[in-house]
């Protein structure tokens, strides 16, 4: 198995949207309060990909095939916290057939 992690480009937006849709599908099955009747988008993916200063969207490829993704972001903290910023990790997805191979851990380490 050959793993490659790369930064997403705007050409990857449909791919990342597909991964996001699979996350939403799973979360709907375990969080009944999520809206079921319409398409949900958690992230503004093009904006995140363009934000090279405060965000990174990674694509995980195994043997040349995209099988997952992850998002790392620096966000502004609320004024009640001592630290002005915090790190956020989200949009974590790994294809079901690739799970259990530490791909998610590799994505998080790279973020």
């Amino acid at each position: 198995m050959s793993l490659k992690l790369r930064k997403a480009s705007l050409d990857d937006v449909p791919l990342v949207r597909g991964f996001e849709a699979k996350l939403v599908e799973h979360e709907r099955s375990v969080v009944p309060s999520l809206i079921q009747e319409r398409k949900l988008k958690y992230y503004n993916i093009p904006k995140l990909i363009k934000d090279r200063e405060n965000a990174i969207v990674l694509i995980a490829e195994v043997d040349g095939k995209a099988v997952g993704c992850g998002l790392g972001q620096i966000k502004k903290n609320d004024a009640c916290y001592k630290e002005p910023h915090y790190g956020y990790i989200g949009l974590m997805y790994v294809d079901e057939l690739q799970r259990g191979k530490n791909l998610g851990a590799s994505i998080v380490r790279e973020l």
Side-chain angles (χ1 to χ4, degrees):
M1 175 182 84
S2 171
L3 172 64
K4 177 183 174 186
L5 298 174
R6 63 174 178 81
K7 290 181 182 179
S9 71
L10 289 175
D11 292 338
D12 293 311
V13 169
L15 172 68
V16 178
R17 282 266 180 251
F19 290 150
E20 180 185 41
K22 290 177 182 181
L23 284 171
V24 169
E25 179 183 332
H26 168 72
E27 289 181 359
R28 279 183 167 148
S29 72
V30 295
V31 183
S33 60
L34 278 177
I35 296 170
Q36 302 289 321
E37 299 79 32
R38 66 179 168 96
K39 189 174 185 178
L40 296 179
K41 293 180 182 178
Y42 293 156
Y43 301 96
N44 183 336
I45 293 168
K47 182 179 177 183
L48 290 167
I49 290 171
K50 289 179 192 176
D51 183 2
R52 296 292 185 178
E53 186 174 327
N54 295 305
I56 182 170
V57 179
L58 291 179
I59 305 293
E61 296 179 344
V62 172
D63 299 328
K65 180 183 177 204
V67 297
C69 67
L71 161 68
Q73 190 176 18
I74 298 171
K75 292 185 168 192
K76 289 186 180 182
N77 237 339
D78 291 329
C80 61
Y81 293 99
K82 292 179 184 177
E83 297 298 325
H85 298 91
Y86 67 96
Y88 172 83
I89 293 177
L91 191 54
M92 291 295 302
Y93 177 80
V94 174
D95 183 85
E96 287 184 48
L97 297 176
Q98 297 296 327
R99 292 179 190 165
K101 300 177 183 178
N102 290 316
L103 298 182
S106 295
I107 293 169
V108 169
R109 274 193 300 276
E110 188 69 19
L111 292 172

